[in-house]
Amino acid sequence: MDTARAARAHIIWTSIALVLILIASCLTYVFMSKVSGCQRINIVNVSTIESMFRHQVSREKWLLKACNHTNDRLVWDEEWEDHKSPGKSILDQNKTWLVVQENGVYLVYIQANFELKPQKDTVKLNLLVDLNYGEKTEIFTAAHDTQVVNGNKPVDAKLNTFLLMYMQSTNQLSVRVYPSNLVNYNPRPFSTFITIIKWADW
């Protein structure tokens, strides 16, 4: 019972955080577009946001938790598998690539937890997102950090990132983490997970 209550609280707070980050991202985009020489990432065109919300949006939503890794790519399990349509999955057969079902603007939140073992050297943590558009693959450094482990006990570290992006049907998304051997997969209720919500049609 406590686990279920903790899971619901986690999802509610994650949703609130996503909404606040969306507002901050939109405001940042508006201000950055006025700065000359600033590079724009083709994720969402703010001028079309008003028109996007005029249409009925399908309720595509996914919560996946990492269970392993292969070649530094996280392997996922669907947490809401009981609520999805029969035969409908966002994962490929290797469970490392998420295949988008519909065109639209998606909110993506990724969190990776690490268990750092005591050592003398600093540890560089990286979270990369690969977006496969069919003809090409783009790589984004979604989050990074450098940690120093002091003492004799393992230390928890966390990387997280929020993305607001336009994706077309059959586009693929994959997450790589470094160092992958230090990723913590133990649920608390979720240690390493990804949330994908379709925010608007396109």
Side-chain angles (χ1 to χ4, degrees), residues 64-145:
L64 303 102
K65 58 182 179 181
C67 59
N68 206 337
H69 66 273
T70 176
N71 297 326
D72 298 318
R73 295 189 189 278
L74 291 178
V75 179
W76 304 99
D77 279 335
E78 294 183 30
E79 184 63 25
W80 290 338
E81 193 166 358
D82 296 338
H83 303 289
K84 70 178 184 180
S85 303
K88 188 175 183 181
S89 176
I90 197 172
L91 293 170
D92 70 348
Q93 66 181 49
N94 296 323
K95 295 188 173 184
T96 55
W97 286 90
L98 287 66
V99 184
V100 176
Q101 308 292 313
E102 301 176 357
N103 296 355
V105 178
Y106 289 83
L107 295 171
V108 181
Y109 178 80
I110 307 167
Q111 177 175 303
N113 279 24
F114 300 84
E115 187 175 359
L116 307 182
K117 300 174 183 177
Q119 56 186 346
K120 295 180 180 179
D121 299 330
T122 59
V123 181
K124 293 183 179 179
L125 307 176
N126 280 290
L127 179 63
L128 303 179
V129 175
D130 295 338
L131 293 176
N132 187 326
Y133 298 104
E135 68 280 357
K136 65 177 181 177
T137 300
E138 293 187 24
I139 302 172
F140 298 94
T141 303
H144 58 89
D145 193 11

